[in-house]
Amino acid sequence: MSLKVLIIEDEIDLAENISEYLTQQGYDVVGIIPTAEDVPDFLAKNDIDLFLVDIMLKGNVKGIDIAAQIREKFPKCGILFTTALSGKSVLDKISDTLYDGYLLKPFSLKSLESTLYLISKKLEKPDEPVKAGPKRNLLPIRDKGKIILLDENDIQFIKAEGLYLRIFTDNKVFLIRELLKTFLPKLNPEKFLRIHKSYLVNLSRVKDINSKECNVNNQLI
């Protein structure tokens, strides 16, 4: 069965393009809603699996505010936020919300497809309980002129290089201008340990350690 998708987006041309593309990919797009105020009535009358929500909708109610109502109505649904804004205040609001994905506009249809695919794979496991758990610690960092949210769980280790930090993750290495001593308080102290004046490691990624070396994902530090 194809997933039922609701697009909450006030840029109608963009919403229609997304709708057409998702339909071609086999999704069942049940509607496009341009304002958050119209969402509650639609939720009362329709069953929806996956929501694409523009954070900064026109009107008094923003997309990020309607997400709480969506999650209450459909606790096992998927929520993908989209936004053209990358300011820290917006990112902080996103990090306080239970969501499944985030795309910064303008995004490619291919990146949209990949993100929705990952979310849909989670939705294919309805018998698994919803894990609210602790909130994810998402760190706003600048990458190629844009602010992205980096999940601290994706970090393998961090290396200090003068005024810069090199952050090693599963898929990419980020270089940011910050000192290790100011970045360290942003991380969960139960998950990260400073083993050297220049190195900070994610304890869950440590395979073995001795008095001289620490093996993090087969890389010796």
Side-chain angles (χ1 to χ4, degrees):
M1 180 190 294
S2 61
L3 293 177
K4 295 182 178 180
V5 181
L6 177 64
I7 300 173
I8 306 173
E9 170 64 63
D10 55 17
E11 296 182 48
I12 299 302
D13 289 342
L14 173 61
E16 290 178 346
N17 288 337
I18 293 174
S19 176
E20 181 179 355
Y21 182 75
L22 293 184
T23 300
Q24 293 172 356
Q25 301 303 312
Y27 293 92
D28 179 12
V29 180
V30 298
I32 296 173
I33 298 180
T35 60
E37 286 87 349
D38 295 328
V39 172
D41 287 342
F42 196 92
L43 297 181
K45 302 174 184 177
N46 297 272
D47 289 327
I48 304 160
D49 304 304
L50 185 55
F51 294 81
L52 270 70
V53 185
D54 180 17
I55 291 176
M56 300 303 292
L57 294 168
K58 296 176 183 177
N60 296 324
V61 183
K62 304 304 178 185
I64 201 166
D65 299 319
I66 202 67
Q69 296 183 41
I70 291 173
R71 185 64 70 187
E72 182 177 355
K73 174 70 175 178
F74 301 106
K76 294 185 178 182
C77 75
I79 297 178
L80 170 60
F81 283 132
T82 65
T83 180
L85 301 176
S86 58
K88 189 175 184 299
S89 60
V90 175
L91 298 178
D92 287 341
K93 288 182 179 179
I94 295 174
S95 66
D96 287 336
T97 307
L98 189 59
Y99 70 105
D100 301 280
Y102 159 82
L103 286 174
L104 184 64
K105 297 178 182 177
F107 52 81
S108 67
L109 292 176
K110 198 65 182 177
S111 63
L112 172 65
E113 178 186 353
S114 300
T115 304
L116 289 181
Y117 175 78
L118 293 175
I119 295 175
S120 66
K121 294 300 288 184
K122 290 194 296 184
L123 297 179
E124 289 176 0
K125 303 173 183 178
D127 294 329
E128 292 188 0
V130 177
K131 299 178 181 179
K135 292 191 298 185
R136 298 163 64 195
N137 186 15
L138 301 176
L139 308 166
I141 66 171
R142 185 172 295 278
D143 180 44
K144 296 180 180 179
K146 295 181 179 179
I147 299 294
I148 67 167
L149 291 174
L150 176 63
D151 192 326
E152 69 171 18
N153 294 319
D154 294 335
I155 298 174
Q156 297 178 358
F157 65 93
I158 301 173
K159 179 183 180 183
E161 298 180 357
L163 298 177
Y164 293 85
L165 295 179
R166 199 173 295 273
I167 303 176
F168 294 78
T169 71
D170 296 332
N171 302 312
K172 188 174 180 178
V173 179
F174 297 95
L175 183 65
I176 65 171
R177 185 181 176 87
E178 188 162 355
L179 297 176
L180 193 58
K181 66 179 181 180
T182 60
F183 194 78
L184 180 58
K186 301 176 183 179
L187 300 168
N188 186 336
E190 296 182 357
K191 295 181 179 179
F192 289 86
L193 178 67
R194 190 169 185 173
I195 61 170
H196 182 273
K197 66 179 181 179
S198 299
Y199 285 95
L200 184 69
V201 300
N202 184 339
L203 292 173
S204 67
R205 304 303 183 94
V206 175
K207 290 192 173 183
D208 54 72
I209 189 170
N210 59 38
S211 61
K212 295 182 179 180
E213 295 177 329
C214 179
N215 182 351
V216 180
N217 283 23
N218 294 322
Q219 180 156 338
L220 294 180
I221 299 174

